[in-house]
Amino acid sequence: MDILGMLPSFGGFMGAAIAFVVALSVIVAIHEYGHYIVGRWCGIHAEVFSLGFGPVLYSRVDKRGTRWQLAALPFGGYVKFLGDSDAASGKDGEAITGLSATERKRTMHGAALWRRAATVAAGPVFNFILSIFVFAGIFLFAGTTTDDAVIGKLKPLPGPVELFQEGDRIVRIGDAEINDLAEFYTVAQSLPSAEVVSYEVERNGETVTFDSVFPFPPVIDQLQPKSAAMDGGLEVGDVIQSVNGTPVFALSEVQKSAQSNKDNALELLVWRNGEVLEKTLTPRQRDLPTGDGFESRWLIGFSGGAFFEPPRVTLGAGDAIWGGAVQTWFIAKSSLTGMWYMITGAISSCNIQGPIGIAQTSGDMASQGAAEFIWFIAVLSTAVGLLNLFPIPVLDGGHLVFHAYEAVAGRPPSDKVLNVLMTAGLVLLLSLMVFALTNDFFCT
């Protein structure tokens, strides 16, 4: 049973809230555990490890004297080290004064500089490690496609798709010869839309020719969160048959219709398991990453592909981990590029989501299945790790800046300067949160 897929049955808000809390709890737990375990390795004593804030629901003290607790407000967490005055690792001067020289080395304010820096950096690093291993696990489970243009599994579609059989090797589309899967994609993308296309396949040592569906039909393989398609009730496996009364046979036709109609409603006929449904959707403007920046487009909000799934082969552990690292780097790089484009006004600031928007995205991803939800957790973990590295006081990146200053100047910033900077950082962070929350209400 796919429990995640049952989330919509709780209602849109409740399903999104549950998915958001689950995703955030996993990410926060890994982040704070990074601080805790590296701090422990460095000899810094953790007094409290808290998942959540507010009233404590459950707690226990381990043999090392660390209190592990679960709090009522599941919107973050913290590790309070010896000598800290609060969850943000503020300095408790009075408590530290009463410690011996040996005990002070076990605090976040008396330990060697490199030990403190390593403990602070460990939180974001563990977020990146989580992302890499989640992506690697998905790649290991899903495998990778072969290079051959061979039919692995046919998608259920209207039209003569059943003329194909599993194991067929596509050797020609129309007049174009096909030698591998890459050539299939190249040729398919260059074809003009048509109801049927001529194919030649190799089957059991023989050549078979017939007409069948367009190579890239308008079938939904994945829904985008917070999209017109998701909100309009489209589902994975749906096939768009017409847009505003005009029959469509290629995915590109639907994309062109959305782009040309912009924010005007589209009337769709949708084939779903033999039944034809009517749907009305209005495309939404989205900023999409490209190879060298971002592109603003009007979209319904789904992705598709070929009429079949190619056979898959298992990846080695090394290749999977490398793929996970590449994916994590791509997300981090795209996030930084997107932020720069928002600052310069090249793309809309509506791309910044607050807690409500992230919760809705969590629910949308969870409703599509466990794999999509786990993928989203890895994406969000990368974003959280990256955000925490920003040089803003109260964030890990701000503490690392203080440590860098100490390494250069030979002494830490004064307590007075630290208090001013921490207050300024908190104000800035709260302002960003309010701005993001405003986007949740006023951006579509």
Side-chain angles (χ1 to χ4, degrees):
M1 178 181 294
D2 185 0
I3 296 177
L4 289 173
M6 296 173 61
L7 284 176
S9 66
F10 291 99
F13 174 79
M14 184 61 69
I18 293 172
F20 177 58
V21 169
V22 170
L24 188 62
S25 297
V26 170
I27 292 167
V28 168
I30 293 296
H31 180 96
E32 298 303 333
Y33 186 77
H35 289 313
Y36 163 78
I37 193 62
V38 173
R40 197 180 90 185
W41 292 339
C42 291
I44 301 174
H45 175 62
E47 293 187 315
V48 179
F49 184 110
S50 180
L51 187 58
F53 296 98
V56 177
L57 303 177
Y58 169 80
S59 71
R60 71 174 182 86
V61 178
D62 66 17
K63 63 182 181 181
R64 294 183 176 85
T66 300
R67 179 176 298 278
W68 298 75
Q69 65 185 38
L70 180 66
L73 302 177
F75 302 114
Y78 62 91
V79 177
K80 182 178 179 293
F81 291 101
L82 180 65
D84 289 350
S85 61
D86 50 42
S89 289
K91 184 178 180 180
D92 188 342
E94 183 177 344
I96 291 177
T97 301
L99 298 176
S100 67
T102 300
E103 289 174 324
R104 289 179 187 177
K105 292 181 179 180
R106 300 178 66 223
T107 72
M108 271 295 285
H109 308 277
L113 178 59
W114 72 267
R115 297 177 187 270
R116 287 179 276 142
T119 301
V120 170
V125 169
F126 268 55
N127 280 132
F128 298 138
I129 292 174
L130 171 64
S131 299
I132 291 170
F133 277 90
V134 168
F135 289 136
I138 293 173
F139 294 152
L140 276 175
F141 178 79
T144 186
T145 58
T146 65
D147 294 330
D148 298 326
V150 174
I151 306 296
K153 179 181 178 182
L154 292 168
K155 298 175 183 178
L157 302 170
V161 68
E162 69 280 355
L163 294 175
F164 287 96
Q165 295 181 11
E166 185 174 339
D168 283 353
R169 181 187 302 275
I170 301 174
V171 296
R172 187 174 296 276
I173 301 178
D175 297 327
E177 184 177 351
I178 307 296
N179 294 304
D180 53 33
L181 192 61
E183 281 193 1
F184 168 83
Y185 288 138
T186 300
V187 171
Q189 291 171 348
S190 66
L191 287 176
S193 175
E195 184 173 4
V196 292
V197 175
S198 175
Y199 293 90
E200 183 178 309
V201 303
E202 288 183 358
R203 179 183 300 165
N204 300 323
E206 298 181 356
T207 299
V208 182
T209 303
F210 52 82
D211 292 340
S212 189
V213 296
F214 191 79
F216 284 166
V219 59
I220 297 176
D221 287 347
Q222 187 177 46
L223 293 165
Q224 307 303 322
K226 296 185 65 179
S227 64
M230 177 70 75
D231 295 343
L234 295 183
E235 298 179 2
V236 172
D238 285 352
V239 181
I240 312 298
Q241 292 193 306
S242 73
V243 178
N244 290 339
T246 301
V248 293
F249 307 107
L251 176 63
S252 60
E253 290 182 289
V254 181
Q255 295 169 333
K256 290 176 182 177
S257 295
Q259 184 66 22
S260 61
N261 282 273
K262 298 189 182 300
D263 56 355
N264 295 314
L266 300 177
E267 301 292 334
L268 308 180
L269 283 184
V270 178
W271 181 92
R272 178 183 299 168
N273 298 324
E275 182 181 2
V276 177
L277 309 173
E278 295 182 0
K279 298 287 184 180
T280 301
L281 305 177
T282 301
R284 297 175 184 175
Q285 191 172 19
R286 292 291 183 263
D287 297 308
L288 304 177
T290 62
D292 54 357
F294 280 78
E295 178 184 25
S296 184
R297 296 174 58 189
W298 292 86
L299 305 169
I300 291 177
F302 72 88
S303 58
F307 64 87
F308 67 95
E309 297 177 7
R312 289 184 170 270
V313 294
T314 303
L315 277 175
D319 290 335
I321 292 174
W322 175 251
V326 170
Q327 184 65 37
T328 300
W329 170 252
F330 171 76
I331 293 168
K333 181 181 177 182
S334 297
S335 298
L336 290 173
T337 303
M339 290 177 187
W340 174 250
Y341 274 66
M342 281 185 279
I343 291 171
T344 59
I347 62 175
S348 172
S349 60
C350 283
N351 286 281
I352 297 178
Q353 293 188 67
I356 295 176
I358 296 173
Q360 183 179 345
T361 301
S362 302
D364 286 350
M365 295 302 290
S367 68
Q368 297 185 63
E372 286 76 7
F373 183 60
I374 293 172
W375 182 277
F376 171 72
I377 289 177
V379 172
L380 191 58
S381 183
T382 301
V384 169
L386 186 64
L387 175 64
N388 271 278
L389 286 177
F390 283 6
I392 300 174
V394 311
L395 294 181
D396 295 331
H399 287 287
L400 290 174
V401 170
F402 297 151
H403 293 331
Y405 171 85
E406 182 177 350
V408 173
R411 56 181 175 78
S414 68
D415 291 344
K416 183 177 180 180
V417 170
L418 279 176
N419 288 334
V420 171
L421 291 176
M422 294 288 277
T423 301
L426 183 60
V427 170
L428 175 59
L429 197 60
L430 290 174
S431 299
L432 290 173
M433 291 176 63
V434 170
F435 178 76
L437 187 61
T438 302
N439 282 352
D440 291 341
F441 287 104
F442 296 104
C443 295
T444 57

